[in-house]
Amino acid sequence: EDQVTQSPEALRLQEGESSSLNCSYTVSGLRGLFWYRQDPGKGPEFLFTLYSAGEEKEKERLKATLTKKESFLHITAPKPEDSATYLCAVQAGYSWGKLQFGAGTQVVVTP
Amino acid sequence: DAGVTQSPTHLIKTRGQQVTLRCSPKSGHDTVSWYQQALGQGPQFIFQYYEEEERQRGNFPDRFSGHQFPNYSSELNVNALLLGDSALYLCASRWATSGKNTGELFFGEGSRLTVL
């Protein structure tokens, strides 16, 4: 059965203190790994898609990487506005639109 | 360019009642997926609609049903509500036949359902 596990569950950072979030996955026929950001009471906001091991994507202070078993979301010099829950999801086979999500990592960045 | 819109934003029902949630996809999108997100959990896939038919379904009982209209908008219906159905219901849309086929889903803000 496909499985996505995110760690840690929660992360508290000082502004400027870089860190990484982990997403480990077990899936048959990975077609894509997705990172989303979700603010309280809002829908997930798309950040990145990664398709193959070794791929990296960057956006402002965020950088996502992918290996055959896990993905990392690196947050460099975070600001308070980076506070959110970060969700990882995998797309297996050809079931486009059917994502398997992890439970998320709640990130709080304090000034 | 309007994104994915959902209504209502919040609603309260009692056990045994029925509820209908509505979704308009992002402009140009023709495929709609529905997800249930319990508090503190990631979204769980309910089903997906394309060309007015249910194409895929997650592990949800038949109490959960849906519909897609010719204008690509969609409804999620839940019958015989249980306390455990309390959650944020998210609608997401995409192009079925994207040239890149990125698989990227655009989500709405959700409908918060509370069952008492």
Side-chain angles (χ1 to χ4, degrees), chain B residues 88-101:
Chain B
L88 181 67
Y89 288 85
L90 296 163
C91 173
S93 70
R94 61 182 292 272
W95 290 280
T97 54
S98 162
K100 285 187 178 181
N101 208 2

Side-chain angles (χ1 to χ4, degrees), chain B residues 4-100:
Chain B
V4 179
T5 58
Q6 294 186 242
S7 64
T9 54
H10 295 85
L11 68 167
I12 299 173
K13 293 286 187 178
T14 57
R15 282 179 296 174
Q17 285 189 312
Q18 178 263 346
V19 67
T20 298
L21 308 178
R22 296 176 175 82
C23 171
S24 292
K26 182 177 171 64
S27 178
H29 287 185
D30 55 6
T31 303
V32 172
S33 300
W34 286 92
Y35 287 78
Q36 179 195 65
Q37 186 175 26
L39 204 59
Q41 301 297 315
Q44 297 288 318
F45 176 78
I46 303 175
F47 42 53
Q48 180 185 78
Y49 277 83
Y50 170 63
E51 291 185 328
E52 302 179 47
E53 289 188 15
E54 182 182 296
R55 299 292 178 164
Q56 298 184 83
R57 191 177 183 92
N59 294 326
F60 280 81
D62 292 343
R63 298 187 297 109
F64 289 77
S65 63
H67 190 79
Q68 186 180 35
F69 300 94
N71 67 352
Y72 308 124
S73 66
S74 177
E75 286 181 352
L76 165 65
N77 300 293
V78 187
N79 294 322
L81 285 167
L82 303 174
L83 295 179
D85 295 331
S86 295
L88 181 67
Y89 288 85
L90 296 163
C91 173
S93 70
R94 61 182 292 272
W95 290 280
T97 54
S98 162
K100 285 187 178 181

